[in-house]
Amino acid sequence: MGEPSQIALPLSARGGAQRIVVGNANAAVVEALQAPDRWPFHVAVLTGPPRSGKSLLGRWAQGLHGDTLEVVDNAQTSDETALFHRWNAVQQGGTREGGALLLIADAGTQGWHIALPDLASRIGGSLPLEIGAPDDAMAGELILAHAEARGLSLPEGAADYLVPRTTRSFAAIEALVAAIDRISLERQTPATMSVWRAALEALHGPQQQRLL
């Protein structure tokens, strides 16, 4: 696939519009969310790791399709009987919001333990959409996007330095940028390499020094 890109969202955030970085981990999800008419039974289940932008993607899809798409966030905490009726309503074209249903869950479909057998079988027949782990290119774009959202200025080359030294996960990358921002503010100094190193050590411990 090509270089990571970004989707702007009309949401209030420090530093401007909130953005979703589109890369190896979620490009297939973004593509599928644009065509709910192709989903089996017009229902999809979106899962992914913490802080991977599941809810943001749901809001983006809702804005894209309007009242033709119903989005249920944190579906794993919803009443199972209500979800069962929502699934059936989509098949009858009778949902309040429209004719397609997107369920967003924290756990993967294999880890989402559904007690109601009828609901479990229907969820199993829906389209699974799973966000994976970011590769190096996407991790670099995520660092820059989180910095932009915080109004944090990072010098050129920051992402190239930081990506090999941090964990490839959405949550870890977000925590790293937050640590850089915090330390920069505490020291009242620009977020240069000494700040990056301090943030890496704060998150990963002294063993990180072997890479510094």
Side-chain angles (χ1 to χ4, degrees):
M1 63 171 292
E3 289 298 311
S5 58
Q6 293 191 8
I7 296 173
L9 294 172
L11 302 172
S12 175
R14 181 182 169 191
Q18 205 161 358
R19 298 182 183 276
I20 299 172
V21 174
V22 180
N24 73 296
N26 61 6
V29 170
V30 169
E31 182 178 0
L33 289 176
Q34 297 179 65
D37 56 313
R38 300 178 186 173
W39 302 349
F41 305 104
H42 302 289
V43 180
V45 181
L46 174 59
T47 62
R51 310 304 298 167
S52 58
K54 299 184 294 294
S55 296
L56 292 181
L57 282 169
R59 292 182 214 174
W60 172 73
Q62 181 75 76
L64 193 64
H65 301 293
D67 59 6
T68 65
L69 176 67
E70 179 181 1
V71 178
V72 179
D73 206 348
N74 294 311
Q76 77 283 351
T77 66
S78 298
D79 179 81
E80 292 188 0
T81 300
L83 282 184
F84 175 73
H85 289 312
R86 279 174 160 170
W87 195 98
N88 285 335
V90 168
Q91 313 316 308
Q92 300 163 10
T95 59
R96 175 174 60 85
E97 288 79 2
L101 176 64
L102 174 64
L103 304 177
I104 303 174
D106 284 340
T109 53
Q110 297 301 315
W112 181 5
H113 301 294
I114 301 172
L116 189 64
D118 287 340
L119 176 63
S121 65
R122 282 158 175 76
I123 295 299
S126 305
L127 177 67
L129 299 176
E130 184 173 2
I131 299 172
D135 62 10
D136 285 0
M138 188 176 184
E141 289 298 322
L142 286 167
I143 287 172
L144 298 178
H146 283 302
E148 176 188 339
R150 288 176 166 272
L152 173 65
S153 178
L154 290 178
E156 185 176 353
D160 290 339
Y161 181 88
L162 294 167
V163 166
R165 294 168 170 81
T166 193
T167 305
R168 288 326 169 277
S169 80
F170 291 93
I173 290 166
E174 184 176 0
L176 173 60
V177 176
I180 291 171
D181 192 22
R182 173 181 55 78
I183 294 170
S184 176
L185 290 171
E186 288 174 352
R187 295 183 177 182
Q188 297 185 341
T189 186
T192 53
M193 188 175 291
S194 63
V195 174
W196 310 343
R197 289 178 171 177
L200 287 166
E201 183 170 346
L203 293 175
H204 300 293
Q207 68 273 19
Q208 191 67 33
Q209 291 293 335
R210 62 186 179 84
L211 286 174
L212 300 183

